[in-house]
């Protein structure tokens, strides 16, 4: 009898184990062939993790051979129930792998030698599935077989290609169709993010059940309106003692911020300010040390937006670590990247794209008005030590939306300290992040994480 009971118990145990095995196997088998090809087993030097990763290419234009590179880091818990968030870096021409994934919101950080990775305690994939996209073609591992594409990129094509990417990517990953979807990014993604949201909104019109279930977007230190951004930027320089009273007055008197092109006199005054009055500072984070490795400075203008893109990074040198790591053949193989043999080195930013940007929308404010009327959740945040797209620029631009205040300006908190300040309007939430530079999650990772959590939850930032 005891032997029979033991046998029955063993049989039940075997059935339970078999059921568990088959259920687990179904999860694995449920991956399509292409998903399996895109699955990352592990990156070189990567610590063990409990979430899945995928990366690879999606062709967005067959005629020109344009293909965009993506990297998906699924949520660490319940990925099938968490929203999908697309992250875009700006430039225009800078990599979401170099910045967003590797020094801001991604699960890993790169060590100084570029030999291994370590975990980011405040990775955004703790609460969402994060999809990093290198966009447009020519950025990072994304490529085009038509060389002229590198010389005539612009806002409109970038948005169209990103929309095509999402449609085709969701065909590859149908489990994300109809999932709550958000777009996020920073800097020149202040153009990319609302413009892509606008394309999705128009694409979804007339569809009974849109596969791209866009719920909203969140952008940081975002290029918004050429006129108001520039006035606010010069005000930041003066109010933070970066330029003299004389230079401040000369810029205001000589620069026509309503024009698509600056005069030589305006150029000369701004060049003087940057080269003789700013000093050797990190313009993206004016109170932190600069990187002393390979400091190459280039002044670049995107239409009439003042941009000073320095091809070195944070830590203050983290960008250099990314360039070491992602140029390793074993890393590229693990990422399924550079499969066509791109004839140039992977770089954090493409100087060719930045210098040859063709169409740049003068103001994104009309797009904000349209998408607020559509009921999207929209948050805009600013690190308050950035002098490139500073908090004064964003506040001045948003003020011209003339929005009704729902919740008056108040300090929000993180870890018992003021994390920044916020005001909630009818249709939009604005927040500052105290002590953060241009890349908010790099300088204030905990505060940025709380900000992101609150955005996803649709809740106001904590008051205590």
């Amino acid at each position: 009898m005891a032997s029979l009971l033991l046998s029955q118990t063993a049989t039940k145990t075997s059935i339970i184990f078999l059921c568990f095995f088959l259920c687990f196997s179904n999860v694995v088998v449920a991956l399509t062939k292409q998903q399996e090809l895109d699955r990352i087993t592990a990156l070189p030097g990567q610590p063990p993790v409990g979430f899945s990763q995928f990366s690879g290419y999606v062709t967005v234009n067959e005629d020109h051979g344009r293909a965009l590179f993506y990297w998906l880091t699924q949520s660490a818990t319940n990925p099938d129930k968490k929203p999908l968030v697309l992250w875009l870096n700006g430039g225009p021409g800078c990599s979401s792998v170099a910045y967003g994934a590797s020094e801001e919101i991604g699960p890993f950080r790169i060590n100084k030698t570029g030999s291994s990775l370590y975990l980011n305690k405040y990775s955004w994939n703790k609460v969402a599935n994060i999809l990093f996209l290198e966009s447009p073609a020519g950025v990072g591992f994304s490529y085009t077989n038509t060389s002229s594409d590198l010389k005539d990129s612009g806002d409109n094509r970038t948005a169209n290609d990103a929309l095509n990417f999402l449609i085709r990517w969701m065909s590859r990953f149908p489990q994300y169709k109809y999932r709550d979807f958000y777009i996020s990014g920073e800097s020149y993604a202040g153009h990319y993010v609302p413009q892509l949201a606008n394309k999705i909104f128009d694409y979804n019109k007339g569809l009974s059940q849109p596969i791209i279930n866009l719920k909203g977007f969140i952008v940081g230190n975002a290029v918004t309106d050429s006129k108001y951004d520039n006035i606010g930027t010069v005000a930041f320089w003066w109010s933070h003692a970066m330029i003299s009273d004389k230079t401040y007055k000369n810029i205001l008197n000589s620069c026509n911020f309503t024009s698509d092109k600056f005069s030589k006199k305006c150029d000369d005054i701004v060049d003087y300010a940057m080269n003789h009055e700013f000093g050797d500072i990190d313009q993206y984070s004016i109170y932190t040390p600069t990187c002393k490795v390979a400091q190459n400075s280039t002044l670049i203008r995107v239409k009439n937006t003042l941009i000073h893109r320095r091809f070195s990074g944070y830590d203050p040198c983290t960008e250099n670590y990314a360039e070491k790591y992602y140029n390793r053949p074993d890393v590229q193989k693990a990422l399924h990247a550079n499969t066509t043999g791109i004839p140039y080195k992977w770089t954090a930013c493409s100087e060719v794209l930045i210098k040859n940007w063709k169409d740049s929308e003068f103001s994104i404010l009309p797009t904000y008005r349209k998408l607020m009327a559509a009921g999207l959740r929209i948050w805009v945040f600013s690190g308050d030590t950035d002098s490139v797209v500073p908090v004064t620029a964003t506040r001045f631009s948003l003020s011209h939306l003339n929005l009704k205040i729902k919740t008056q300006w108040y300090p929000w908190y993180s870890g018992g300290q003021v994390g920044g300040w916020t005001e909630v309007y009818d249709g939009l939430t604005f927040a500052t992040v105290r002590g953060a530079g241009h890349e908010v999650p790099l300088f204030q990772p905990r505060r940025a994480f709380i900000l992101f959590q609150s955005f996803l939850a649709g809740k106001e930032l904590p008051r205590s």
Side-chain angles (χ1 to χ4, degrees), residues 225-231 251-263 266 303-305 360-363 396 400:
D225 180 279
S226 293
K227 176 183 176 181
Y228 302 135
D229 279 1
N230 279 317
I231 294 171
I251 291 175
L252 294 183
N253 290 332
S254 302
C255 296
N256 179 7
F257 295 130
T258 63
S259 170
D260 278 349
K261 190 175 181 180
F262 287 125
S263 66
C266 173
K303 288 292 182 179
N304 66 342
T305 300
S360 180
E361 201 165 352
F362 190 85
S363 178
F396 194 43
H400 287 80

Side-chain angles (χ1 to χ4, degrees), residues 221 228-244 248 251-252 278 281-287 306 382-396 433 436-438:
N221 291 81
Y228 302 135
D229 279 1
N230 279 317
I231 294 171
T233 296
V234 177
F236 185 93
W237 295 350
W238 178 79
S239 63
H240 287 71
M242 294 170 62
I243 60 174
S244 65
Y248 177 58
I251 291 175
L252 294 183
F278 279 18
I281 62 167
D282 185 339
Q283 294 178 42
Y284 293 87
S285 174
I286 65 173
Y287 298 127
L306 298 171
S382 283
D384 60 12
T385 67
D386 173 29
S387 75
V388 178
V389 190
V391 61
T392 47
T394 300
R395 291 183 72 183
F396 194 43
V433 182
H438 192 66

Side-chain angles (χ1 to χ4, degrees), residues 45-81:
Q46 175 200 301
V49 295
F51 56 85
S52 297
Q53 304 178 76
F54 300 84
S55 61
Y57 286 96
V58 173
T59 299
V60 294
N61 185 292
E62 286 82 2
D63 291 342
H64 282 225
R66 289 201 299 274
L68 301 185
F69 180 79
Y70 81 90
W71 180 4
L72 171 69
T73 58
Q74 289 190 327
S75 180
T77 57
N78 299 318
D80 56 323
K81 297 179 180 178

Side-chain angles (χ1 to χ4, degrees), residues 12 15 35 57 62 101 220 326 329-330 332 359 364 444 447:
K12 287 179 180 177
I15 291 171
Q35 287 178 14
Y57 286 96
E62 286 82 2
Y326 292 114
D330 58 339
Q332 294 181 2
D359 66 286
I364 305 298
Q444 295 291 342
R447 293 173 185 177

Side-chain angles (χ1 to χ4, degrees), residues 86-94 96 133-136 139 153-159 162 183-199 217 219 223 353-354 357 359 361 364:
L86 175 70
W87 174 273
L88 300 169
N89 276 94
C94 293
S96 299
L133 179 64
E134 292 195 307
S135 173
V139 173
S153 286
D155 284 13
N156 191 53
R157 184 202 293 162
T158 298
I183 316 175
S184 57
E186 70 190 12
S187 193
Y188 197 79
H191 279 214
Y192 295 163
V193 171
Q195 287 168 342
L196 175 56
N198 188 47
K199 292 284 185 183
F217 63 83
V219 287
V223 176
L353 281 175
I354 293 173
W357 201 254
D359 66 286
E361 201 165 352
I364 305 298

